[in-house]
Every structure is written in structure tokens, then in C-alpha cells.
Amino acid sequence: MIEPEIMTYYEHGGEHHRLATGAGRLEFLRTWDVLGRVLPGPPGRILDVGGATGVYAAPLARAGYDVLVIDPVPDHVAAAGACDGVAATLGDARSLPVPDGGADAVLLLGPLYHLPERGDRVTAWREAARAARTGGVVIGAGISRFASMLDGFGKGFFAEPGYRPLVEGALRDGAHRNVADRERWFTSAYFHRPEEAAAEAGEAGLREVRTVAVEGPVWLTGPRVDEFLDDPRLAELTLDMLRRVEAEPSLLGASSHLLTIGRTA
């Protein structure tokens, strides 16, 4: 399944509240905004691969979709399965326990950055494409190659011993190796260059592939993110501005997260 270090991170609740405040809250709202524009309308079958505790699956079910979460973390499966209208099962993105062509859309919002080998990421994309119907949508999330560097300046992590080598490794080859095992530095992961995920999805056979920024540069405003989102007028403005520049190539790398979207042939 996944590396023990990564499993431990999530068993300790690394995903339970991350999307509730600050940059995580913006990530959720922007991801939801993109999903609302690219998913086929309900009802429909959605596979939420690496769907964690059901943070997206639950609102998708409320919107009228038939949602199955597939996740390698038992605690996640239990939490997601407890959400109304959501089914959940253990599984690996590289070998999905589902038949061919049964889903209208497949979400890979968690697995790709926990697969350090390119071949495994392409396999995950290929499995998602296999599980989707002809013309179905596949959406994968990645973390930007530059996220740990930008986060280090924003949160003062560079003052902590061991953080600079972690950033240098990510900048060099995309490998974010949290050997210090500090949870606030995230767990070990792979950080994509903006163009990489689209190439991987294309190699897996997806077509009409494109990548958009999730938070754009707004996540770098730190505590002010919640100020923007608490004010309905500013929240609408923030989401509108980010929507306008989400595909701007010169800004993709400044986003913490990226979404790559494709369709099955």
C-alpha cells in the first residue's frame, strides 16, 4: 500500500482538520469550485481515490452523486464510510478494486503526491482512466515543486534545523523527504513541476489534459486568508480572481496545489 511513515502521519490525524482553516480552507473552496465546473451533473458515479475522511465525498453525496471512497488508510475508510450516502473501501490507486468503465468521474486528490516513482503515478492515472466510462473525467491533485520553499518563508520554517535540506531536495528532484519527522512539515511526498502531471496523465492515455492552480499565490497571505474568506464579498472576489488566473502558466508554480484534468478516450 503506502510507506509506513505516510501511514503514521495520516493515522495521527494529519488530514482530519487540514481543510478547515487558512490555506487549507482556500484549497477546499477552490477545489470544490473546479469540481463544480468539470464534473458531469448529478446523478452519477464518482470514485474518490485517496478520498481520506470523505471531505469531498460527503458534499458530493449530498449533491446527489453516488460516491465510493477508496483509500489505503483504515481510519480514513471508517470515517468516510460513516458519511451519509458515501461507501468506502480499502484500496490502492495503482490497482483499483472496481470494474472497467463504471464511473462517470474519478478523483485522484490524494494519491499522486504519495507515489514518488513516475511509473507508479502513471499507473494510478491509467487505473483511473480504466475505471471511468468513455468520455469520463479524471482529476488529479499535485503539490507544487516550490511549495515547501514558499511555505518555509511564510511560516518561518527556515529558522528550524533540517528544513533547508528538505527544501533543497524538493527543488532538486521533487522528493520532499521529511526525515526529521516533523508533522507540520508534512509527510514525505513528491512535488510536481507544473507541467509534469499533465505529461503523466497524457502518457496514461487521457486526452484534453490541462492543469490549473488551486490557491494561486493567495495562500501566501497567511492568516489573512481567513479574513478574506470570512467576508462574503471578499470571498467572492477571491474566488473570482483565482478563477480568472487559474490557467495562467506564469502563476502555476506559485500555487501550493495543482489540479490536472483529463478525459478518457
Side-chain angles (χ1 to χ4, degrees), residues 28-172:
F28 173 83
L29 291 173
R30 275 284 299 147
T31 300
W32 186 253
D33 179 70
V34 173
L35 293 180
R37 287 181 279 129
V38 302
L39 290 177
R45 174 73 161 168
I46 295 180
L47 301 184
D48 188 359
V49 183
T53 58
V55 66
Y56 293 105
L60 285 168
R62 289 195 295 270
Y65 292 100
D66 175 18
V67 187
L68 172 64
V69 169
I70 301 172
D71 197 279
V73 181
D75 287 351
H76 287 177
V77 171
C83 298
D84 289 344
V86 177
T89 188
L90 285 170
D92 189 306
R94 294 163 292 184
S95 181
L96 297 175
V98 295
D100 296 356
D104 296 288
V106 181
L107 308 182
L108 297 170
L109 301 183
L112 297 176
Y113 46 80
H114 288 315
L115 296 173
E117 298 299 325
R118 188 180 191 279
D120 284 337
R121 296 192 297 274
V122 172
T123 296
W125 281 109
R126 190 172 286 122
E127 269 291 275
R130 176 191 66 77
R133 63 170 173 79
T134 300
V137 180
V138 180
I139 306 166
I143 299 176
S144 166
R145 177 66 57 92
F146 315 107
S148 59
M149 180 191 74
L150 296 171
D151 211 23
F153 285 115
K155 295 179 179 175
F157 290 156
F158 278 110
E160 301 179 27
Y163 193 76
R164 180 171 178 171
L166 177 145
V167 171
E168 290 174 341
L171 292 176
R172 181 176 59 251

Side-chain angles (χ1 to χ4, degrees), residues 178-262:
N178 187 1
V179 295
D181 196 26
R182 299 188 183 181
E183 286 193 6
R184 64 184 178 279
W185 295 356
F186 194 45
T187 186
S188 293
Y190 181 80
F191 290 179
H192 281 84
R193 295 186 64 86
E195 68 277 9
E196 275 187 287
E200 293 166 3
E203 184 175 330
L206 291 165
R207 58 184 178 84
E208 300 176 25
V209 180
R210 59 192 176 96
T211 295
V212 299
V214 178
E215 308 93 339
V218 175
W219 72 291
L220 299 172
T221 60
R224 296 207 64 193
V225 171
D226 279 318
E227 294 179 26
F228 300 150
L229 299 180
D230 285 341
D231 182 319
R233 182 184 63 84
L234 289 178
E236 181 181 359
L237 174 68
T238 300
L239 294 176
D240 180 57
M241 290 294 105
L242 288 175
R243 195 179 299 122
R244 289 169 183 253
V245 300
E246 65 184 11
E248 170 55 48
S250 62
L251 286 176
L252 287 176
S255 186
S256 180
H257 292 82
L258 304 165
L259 290 177
T260 297
I261 305 148

